[in-house]
Amino acid sequence: MPKINPFIVFILKRLGIMVLSFFVASTIMFLLPRIIPGNPLAVKVYQILQQSASNPEMIKSVEKMLMDYFKLDRPLYEQYFDFLINLLHGDLGKSITYFPRTVNEIVAMYLPWTLALLVPAIIASWIVGNYVGVIAAMNRGKAVDKVLLPLLAALQGTPAYVFGMYLVLLAVATKWFPASGAYSPTAIPSLSWSFIVDYLHHYILPFLSIFLTSLGGWGLSMRNIAIQELSMDYMDYARVIGISPRKTQSYLFRLSALPQIVGLAIVLGWSVAGSIITEIIFAYPGIGTALWSAIQAQDYMLIQGYFVILIGTILLANFISEIIFAVVDPRVRYAYAGE
Amino acid sequence: MSILTDLFRIPKFVAGLAIFLTIVALGLVGPLIYRVSPTDIVGPRYTPPSPSHPLGIDALGRDVLAQLLYGIRGSLLVGAVAAGIALGLSLFLGTIAAVFGGLVDKVIMVISEVFIIIPSLLLMMVLAAYLSPGARNIWLVGFVIGITSWGGWARGFRSRTMSILQSEFIKMAILSGASRVSIILRDIVPIISPYILASFAMLFTSAITAEVGLTIVGVGMTKDITLGLILYIAQLYANITQGIWWTVVPPTLVMILIYLSLYLVAISLDEYFSPKLGTA
Amino acid sequence: MSTILEVKNLAKIYEIGYIRKRQIVAVDKVSFSVKKGEIISLVGESGSGKTTTARMILRLIKPTSGVIKFMGRDIWRDLRGGSDLRWYWRNVNGVFQDPFSSFNPTHRIRDFMYRAFNLFNEKLDRDTKERLVREALQMVGLIPDEVLNRRPFELSGGMRQRVMIARIFLIRPMLVIADEPTSMIDATLRLGILRLFSKLREEIGTTIMFITHDMGLAYYISDRIMVMYRGKIIEEGTPDEIVNNPKHEYTRNLLDSIPKLYTSWFK
């Protein structure tokens, strides 16, 4: 048997699972609206045609686009084949409500706002959560831990959007922060100083709600990992040879942060899907709010497009995290090396 | 039973169970005592809490307390349906995969992996988005949540079953001519039963949260009152940005309490049984 | 005496390592046979492959290669379906080393004993089953009413090992593979357990194969001894042949390690 680099075998296997998952997800997306009794897709396309645009010229072009894209008059397998080909080409079709703009254009318009909110909030909560987790682990069973543990559990159990709701209520009551949007209605997005200040002012509450709720998860998992590390012999050794608690804590932080890096990649991938509702609550102009309006407007093309993008992001993040895991974890690395 | 008396000595367990049972009682008995219809228009919209309407009136002129009591009932039912389905699937597939091994195991593991990687919230959205709004009742939403959230737990049951299969008493059972089905039902299920209970509790709360999420996004419940539907109406009429807290705080508070209480029950079950049965 | 079990070129190779595989030869082309009615011991240190051999004969682990024949039937090729397997385990069964982990902690002793009725072809009514179980427990010196409704953790290790042997009295197999049946039992109780095996042979005519690390025990109880070392059988003979005239250096080491006191215990 020819020897193939085991690392490549591993990557290929994970890639296979990823492709399979994407295939399954898109097949479900394709099949569901078509096989449910009464063919809701056809009904909806017809409804949309009637409501979508006021001028008759546009109705015609939307109709033509929908027929071209869905090909509902053709056999199912042909529709399916076309659907897959379109997906592989990255062609998600054109929006109905924003006709004739493509779904890709609209996603590109909203995605930066979502990323600007999520990435800093999650990275900040990762850093702080890990720190808090180590502190809780170092003081396991003591007063600090007894306060932190239920607090972290409560934060983790509270969905980010519930937190968001409370923060908005607080903002309305105190008038400290604007309660919705990413910037004042009168402001025009630009890189001017005044816009940035306005943006940051709006940014604080949604940031806090995502930051605080993901803090719980990071803190708890870090506490678990750190407690395991603490039970290792080398930690006793560090204490015995008189390394200061502050230094031990920093070793512990570094040791336990490794598995957390993998978690970070996964969470970043999931966060776009996970913060849909938070965005809706804050009327923050990101993917989540856009998906909500697409669902309200029954813009089928957009809904389908968002789903493809969200699932794609998650699959990719998962894949990347697995690669990081294999590279970072010495045990996995040694397994590849042979001995 | 000595196990029960032992469990009742754990403050976490008692507190969690007490809170949860109180909520269940509110949902079951509440509507019978507070006899106000949740769908009737009882007064001017957005009347704040007052003695006649303890939790005020919502955007459509309905009594919020009545909505909440029926909403708890609806959400508990969604949770039970979804958790029942997900637990059934994960327990069945997880133990079968471990006991039968080989190709069966590989196929089940790949399927569960796909279900883990694809976010169940999205699957639910896809499923629910295409179902006609008139059809989205408790049973359908519970079903959709149930069949999309079993993946991770199936792996949990599989790995616990695998570790039990290593035991000598399983080999003894084989030498006594026990079939694989008998090994699953008589050896494995009783031993992992605390874990089954704990996973049911966690599936239950995550299903309730999932229903709320789905409904707020606009692809969930439309027919029956649930905590999600109360929040959906609140969001739809921009109650939050108007500072109308009484339609928002009660349902979310109940959600958090359900989570915390079942979380306490689940971890105390796990902490109590895992070391005893060596299935940690 | 006729041969009931024949083992030929039996081998078990484990492949370990998730990504780069490494082979470990646990059992290396072992051949021997067992005659009806004899007590034979397979002696070796831990890791010698003796337990793997026992498990393969009990049909719990699939061999990598080689043949195990019981009553002329190849147990890995000729047995098909549930009824063949039940026939095999009705005739060949085992007692394990660890009386603690051999019982499901959630089962009562009655459940444990009753399960063996799976192996019986004849359909028995509840009263007959209860009577047979009680008789079997009495055979090993247990009082049925004291143990039947107990759970394993309510019994001592010695009692549990007696229950394991009672199970054998119930099944009445032709061949018993006893894998270190006394090693986890208090030294003072060992003799009692060993006597039960003698009783098994006297009353039912069971053939017994002991798997043990204890040369002293093997010498005391066996008709024939095989010494296993690193997956191979390196020496075979009657106890006296082995003790008086060991051919292999490893056997000599084993003999030297027997505590001198040991022999005096049994005489």
Side-chain angles (χ1 to χ4, degrees), chain A residues 110-111 113-115 117-118 271-281 283-296 306 310, chain B residues 125 216-217:
Chain A
Y110 288 113
L111 193 61
W113 291 100
T114 296
L115 295 181
L117 172 62
L118 288 178
S271 61
V272 181
S275 63
I276 291 173
I277 306 168
T278 311
E279 286 189 10
I280 296 173
I281 300 296
Y284 183 89
I287 293 280
T289 309
L291 176 62
W292 192 71
S293 357
I295 289 172
Q296 298 299 319
Y306 288 135
L310 291 177
Chain B
M125 282 188 196
I216 289 184
V217 175

Side-chain angles (χ1 to χ4, degrees), chain A residues 14 17 20-21 24-25 28-29 32-33 36 40-41 44 153-154 156-159 161-162 165-166 168-169 172 179-180 220 270 273 276-277 280-281 291-292 295-296 300 303-304 307 310-311 314-315 318 322, chain B residues 110 113-123 125-127 129-133 209-210 212-214 216-219 231-232 235-236 239-245 248-250 252-253 255-256 259-260 263:
Chain A
R14 302 315 308 168
I17 291 278
L20 181 71
S21 305
V24 169
I28 292 174
M29 251 182 308
L32 263 177
I36 287 174
L41 184 63
K44 285 220 163 135
Q156 191 199 24
T158 315
Y161 57 85
V162 172
M165 289 173 180
Y166 290 176
V168 173
L169 286 173
V172 173
S180 70
L220 284 182
W270 275 80
I276 291 173
I277 306 168
I280 296 173
I281 300 296
L291 176 62
W292 192 71
I295 289 172
Q296 298 299 319
Y300 249 69
I303 297 174
Q304 182 183 295
F307 283 155
L310 291 177
I311 288 175
I314 288 161
L315 291 181
N318 236 299
E322 268 159 355
Chain B
V110 168
E113 184 136 16
V114 169
F115 270 89
I116 292 169
I117 294 179
I118 300 174
S120 54
L121 189 74
L122 280 184
L123 263 187
M125 282 188 196
V126 179
L127 280 166
Y130 294 114
L131 294 169
S132 93
T209 314
V212 174
L214 280 179
I216 289 184
V217 175
V219 293
L231 289 169
Y232 174 69
Q235 168 64 21
L236 199 65
N239 287 181
I240 307 169
T241 42
Q242 297 175 60
I244 294 163
W245 58 269
V248 179
V249 175
T252 46
L253 215 55
M255 265 173 77
I256 295 170
Y259 169 79
L260 279 183
Y263 178 75

Side-chain angles (χ1 to χ4, degrees), chain B residues 40-116:
Chain B
D40 284 357
I41 293 168
V42 294
R45 60 207 301 242
Y46 300 142
T47 310
S50 64
S52 56
H53 302 287
L55 287 179
I57 293 175
D58 77 351
L60 302 173
R62 303 172 306 183
D63 185 280
V64 177
L65 180 58
Q67 288 258 315
L68 184 71
L69 294 175
Y70 278 91
I72 290 173
R73 183 185 274 191
S75 279
L76 290 175
L77 202 53
V78 170
V81 171
I85 292 172
L87 182 71
L89 278 172
S90 55
L91 184 60
F92 177 75
L93 293 173
T95 51
I96 291 280
V99 170
F100 283 77
L103 190 64
V104 177
D105 185 27
K106 284 208 175 87
V107 170
I108 292 176
M109 279 306 98
V110 168
I111 298 174
S112 76
E113 184 136 16
V114 169
F115 270 89
I116 292 169

Side-chain angles (χ1 to χ4, degrees), chain B residues 152-207:
Chain B
W153 293 101
R155 302 198 141 223
F157 286 125
R158 176 178 174 270
S159 68
R160 291 198 181 217
T161 305
M162 297 274 251
S163 78
I164 296 170
L165 286 178
Q166 302 300 315
S167 324
E168 299 283 278
F169 65 78
I170 296 292
K171 297 185 174 76
M172 253 307 138
I174 293 171
L175 289 183
S176 288
S179 65
R180 286 166 178 177
V181 176
S182 155
I183 285 175
I184 292 177
L185 293 181
R186 291 191 51 198
D187 290 290
I188 288 160
V189 169
I191 290 185
I192 62 174
S193 54
Y195 181 64
I196 295 175
L197 266 177
S199 66
F200 184 80
M202 294 322 288
L203 279 166
F204 192 92
T205 96
S206 61

Side-chain angles (χ1 to χ4, degrees), chain A residues 29 40 65 73 114 141 144 152 171 175 184 201 282 315 332-333:
Chain A
M29 251 182 308
M65 181 274 290
D73 49 337
T114 296
V144 182
L152 292 173
K175 301 200 166 55
S184 305
H201 198 209
F282 286 100
L315 291 181
V332 183
R333 202 166 57 217

Side-chain angles (χ1 to χ4, degrees), chain A residues 181 217 336:
Chain A
Y336 296 132

